[in-house]
């Protein structure tokens, strides 16, 4: 089983949305039985809480249900449990790298590395913004998770 972990700061906007979009696309793929996903935050602000209502609403407009997800904080054992850990921005990637044990198997990267044509290298945090910011977040995550899935299909089916 190939495991992907999506990371943002509080695990109530970007990372659960990324998890939701990825799972949504994964469900219709050739590798749905070979890959799983989760999300977490680098901070413990919202542990146990559902995603922000604006994130739930915006993901829902794309047919993606994230309402049952609950926030958690990244753990040291995530670096052994997951194969790929994707951060939404440089700050959170830096925090992940600070936690990373020397023996970690997980590869870390930025989410937007999977959507270079979007012209941004981070998924902007919409938390203090408007609904338009949540719309942009979902647009970026939809594209990036689709591209991630294509890469994983190529690697896991042909590799």
């Amino acid at each position: 089983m190939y495991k992907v972990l999506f990371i943002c700061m509080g695990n109530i906007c970007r990372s659960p949305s990324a998890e939701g979009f990825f799972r949504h696309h994964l469900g219709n793929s050739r590798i749905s039985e070979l890959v799983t996903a989760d999300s977490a935050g680098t901070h413990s602000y919202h542990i146990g809480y559902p995603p922000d209502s604006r994130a739930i609403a915006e993901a829902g407009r794309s047919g993606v249900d994230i309402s049952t997800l609950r926030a958690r904080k990244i753990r040291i054992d995530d670096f052994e449990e997951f194969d790929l850990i994707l951060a939404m921005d440089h700050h959170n990637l830096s925090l992940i790298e600070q936690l990373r044990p020397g023996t970690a198997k997980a590869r870390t990267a930025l989410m937007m590395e999977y959507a270079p044509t979007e012209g941004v290298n981070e998924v902007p945090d919409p938390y203090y913004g408007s609904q338009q910011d949540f719309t942009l977040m979902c647009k970026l995550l939809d594209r990036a998770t689709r591209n991630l899935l294509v890469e994983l299909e190529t690697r896991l089916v042909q590799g």
Side-chain angles (χ1 to χ4, degrees):
M1 183 68 64
Y2 190 89
K3 296 182 177 183
V4 180
L5 181 63
F6 300 99
I7 301 287
C8 70
M9 186 169 287
N11 193 214
I12 61 166
C13 295
R14 296 173 290 174
S15 57
S17 297
E19 177 187 352
F21 274 94
F22 183 72
R23 285 180 181 228
H24 178 75
H25 301 316
L26 182 63
N28 301 319
S29 77
R30 302 180 290 170
I31 60 170
S32 61
E33 301 299 318
L34 303 174
V35 179
T36 188
D38 195 3
S39 61
T42 55
H43 291 71
S44 56
Y45 305 135
H46 306 288
I47 291 176
Y49 285 92
D52 185 287
S53 60
R54 298 165 294 175
I56 292 171
E58 196 59 45
R61 287 184 185 87
S62 297
V64 176
D65 182 9
I66 62 170
S67 64
T68 61
L69 301 179
R70 294 296 178 263
R72 73 173 183 88
K73 187 176 178 185
I74 189 171
R75 301 179 300 258
I76 295 298
D77 31 330
D78 287 334
F79 290 92
E80 289 304 321
E81 182 179 339
F82 290 88
D83 299 287
L84 178 61
I85 299 176
L86 294 171
M88 299 299 125
D89 58 46
H90 288 287
H91 177 70
N92 284 294
L93 182 60
S94 174
L95 294 173
I96 292 165
E97 290 302 326
Q98 290 172 31
L99 288 174
R100 180 187 190 86
T103 59
K105 78 167 188 169
R107 183 173 82 77
T108 58
L110 287 171
M111 180 80 249
M112 291 311 294
E113 288 179 22
Y114 291 93
T117 60
E118 292 298 319
V120 296
N121 61 10
E122 296 184 328
V123 179
D125 189 349
Y127 188 73
Y128 293 107
S130 68
Q131 192 63 40
Q132 286 181 311
D133 297 308
F134 283 86
T135 302
L136 173 62
M137 173 193 74
C138 286
K139 174 186 173 266
L140 294 172
L141 292 173
D142 184 36
R143 174 67 55 90
T145 57
R146 285 177 190 270
N147 292 346
L148 169 60
L149 184 60
V150 168
E151 181 179 305
L152 291 178
E153 283 179 327
T154 301
R155 184 184 316 159
L156 297 174
V157 172
Q158 296 174 2

